[in-house]
């Protein structure tokens, strides 16, 4: 059997894509706006395609503000922080290719050798 893949719509381009190919931005219960990095943060969410240009368009045209039902505009500091988190999420996603956590395995001997070399 094929596994069910949830489909979501980008709020800017209106293109439907699998959930794991979009970035979810969430307005939390206390009013903060954050990038949801797969932790399923509670709050009102909006999905955006994984392109910085599309994120910029969502901010410029107030699409993100409307989708999250904010009663205020974003400050420049909020926009720059959110944009940086958006870029970091995309870079991390390109490295991992899946939602599984990265496991780094190292032997005890290699760790001890590394500590001795640095000391």
């Amino acid at each position: 059997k094929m596994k069910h893949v949830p489909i979501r719509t980008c709020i800017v381009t209106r293109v439907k894509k699998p959930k794991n190919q979009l970035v979810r931005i969430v307005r939390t219960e206390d009013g903060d706006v954050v990038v949801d990095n797969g932790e399923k943060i509670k709050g009102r969410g909006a999905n955006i395609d994984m392109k910085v240009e599309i994120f910029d368009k969502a901010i410029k045209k107030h699409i993100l503000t409307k989708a999250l039902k904010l009663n205020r505009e974003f400050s420049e500091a909020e926009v720059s922080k959110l944009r940086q988190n958006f870029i970091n999420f995309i870079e991390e996603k390109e490295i991992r290719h899946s939602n599984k956590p990265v496991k780094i395995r190292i032997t005890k001997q290699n760790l001890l050798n590394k500590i001795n070399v640095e000391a």
Side-chain angles (χ1 to χ4, degrees):
K1 289 184 177 181
M2 288 184 56
K3 186 176 178 182
H4 171 73
V5 178
I7 303 295
R8 300 289 183 262
T9 304
C10 173
I11 62 168
V12 180
T13 62
R14 309 304 295 168
V15 174
K16 294 183 180 197
K17 289 188 172 186
K19 182 179 171 181
N20 61 359
Q21 293 180 10
L22 298 170
V23 179
R24 183 170 182 252
I25 298 179
V26 182
R27 177 188 48 121
T28 60
E29 294 171 354
D30 56 342
D32 294 335
V33 178
V34 295
V35 175
D36 185 1
N37 50 2
E39 297 173 8
K40 298 185 181 180
I41 298 173
K42 287 187 177 183
R44 183 165 185 87
N47 295 293
I48 299 180
D49 206 348
M50 283 199 232
K51 295 178 184 163
V52 180
E53 308 84 45
I54 294 177
F55 173 82
D56 292 338
K57 185 176 179 180
I59 295 293
K60 182 179 177 186
K61 296 198 174 206
H62 307 287
I63 298 170
L64 188 59
T65 307
K66 291 174 188 172
L68 296 177
K69 295 187 178 180
L70 287 175
N71 297 328
R72 59 180 172 76
E73 294 297 320
F74 287 110
S75 67
E76 287 185 33
E78 281 182 311
V79 170
S80 63
K81 181 180 175 188
L82 196 59
R83 188 174 195 274
Q84 188 58 50
N85 290 340
F86 186 85
I87 292 168
N88 291 344
F89 178 80
I90 293 170
E91 289 172 355
E92 182 181 320
K93 193 79 166 174
E94 287 174 356
I95 292 170
R96 290 195 305 151
H97 294 298
S98 71
N99 293 329
K100 295 179 183 175
V102 177
K103 293 182 182 178
I104 299 173
R105 297 182 187 213
I106 185 167
T107 63
K108 188 175 183 178
Q109 188 60 41
N110 286 344
L111 182 60
L112 291 174
N113 290 343
K114 182 93 171 155
I115 292 171
N116 290 336
V117 169
E118 290 178 357

